[in-house]
Amino acid sequence: MPGRRAPHAPRDRDPPDVAAALEISLRFLGTRPRTRWELERRLRTAGAGDEVRDAVLARLGELGYLDDDAFARYWAEQRDRHAPRGRRMVEAELRQRGVPGDVIERLRSDPLDRPDDDALPQTEMQRARIALERHLRGRPLPDDPKAAQRIGMFLMRRGFDAETVRGVLRQAGDDTIEETP
C-alpha cells in the first residue's frame, strides 16, 4: 500500500534526545521490570545514539529503575507464582533477557527458596509437584507407562532435572495408590 512504511524501515524522524529517550524508556518500563540489555535494545530500535543511550541508562540505574539483580529475583518469583519452572529453565529465560552471568550466579547462590512466603514453593521438588498438578488439572496420574513418560518429558522441558522428575512422579503415584480404596 502506498504511504505505509514497513515495520522495520528507518524512521524519518530525528533520533531522540535524552528527554525523549527517557520518556520512551519509562513507557517501556511501565509494563513490567526490564533488564538493562532489554532497555538498551529498545533505545537502539528507537534510534537513540550511543551517548543518549548511555546517559539514559545511567540515569535510570541511579533512580533504581534498572537493576538486573532485582529483575532476576522478580522473574524467578513470577515464575513460581504463575508458571513454575525448574531452576535450569528460569536461568535460561534470564539469559535470553540479557541478564549477566554473574547476576545469575548470585541468584543461584541465593536460592529461590523463600521461607518468608508460604504461598510460593520452597523447593525444586515442590515446584515440580505444582507444575505436575497444573498439567494434570485434577486428573489422576495415568497408569500407562508411555503416558507417564510423556508427563516426565513435559516436566523436563519445564527445566526440572531427571532426578526431580522421577521423584515427583513416584510421589504422585504413591499418592494415587493411597487414595484408591
Side-chain angles (χ1 to χ4, degrees), residues 8-171:
H8 298 291
R11 300 184 184 273
D12 296 332
R13 296 181 247 165
D14 291 331
D17 61 356
V18 173
L22 193 56
E23 185 176 332
I24 290 167
S25 299
L26 291 174
R27 264 196 249 123
F28 190 57
L29 287 166
T31 55
R32 69 168 171 84
R34 307 283 180 164
T35 63
R36 181 179 186 85
W37 178 82
E38 287 176 309
L39 190 56
E40 184 174 2
R41 202 170 115 203
R42 173 66 182 97
L43 290 173
R44 274 186 206 281
T45 303
D50 291 343
E51 301 82 27
V52 170
R53 277 194 318 270
D54 292 343
V56 168
L57 293 171
R59 181 66 180 141
L60 289 173
E62 291 168 7
L63 295 172
Y65 287 108
L66 283 181
D67 181 354
D68 286 345
D69 285 300
F71 176 84
R73 287 188 304 274
Y74 159 82
W75 191 262
E77 183 177 320
Q78 291 304 305
R79 276 300 184 204
D80 281 352
R81 285 189 194 284
H82 303 291
R85 302 279 198 262
R87 182 176 299 277
R88 291 180 321 167
M89 178 69 78
V90 170
E91 290 173 1
E93 290 174 341
L94 290 171
R95 279 191 295 277
Q96 287 176 335
R97 282 156 183 77
V99 174
D102 62 324
V103 172
I104 293 172
E105 279 299 318
R106 280 195 296 276
L107 181 68
R108 189 179 297 146
S109 66
D110 175 31
L112 300 179
D113 307 331
R114 290 174 288 282
D116 57 327
D117 192 346
D118 294 335
L120 297 176
Q122 302 298 310
T123 64
E124 190 81 351
M125 194 74 151
Q126 288 176 340
R127 284 182 194 90
R129 179 69 185 215
I130 291 169
L132 175 64
E133 288 170 359
R134 288 183 182 175
H135 180 69
L136 292 175
R137 294 186 208 117
R139 296 175 306 214
L141 189 65
D143 294 333
D144 177 34
K146 286 285 188 186
Q149 184 180 20
R150 282 193 300 271
I151 291 172
M153 293 309 295
F154 163 80
L155 291 172
M156 292 193 68
R157 285 190 305 273
R158 294 298 178 272
F160 297 104
D161 61 72
E163 183 179 329
T164 302
V165 170
R166 278 191 297 273
V168 116
L169 289 175
R170 193 175 311 112
Q171 187 181 52

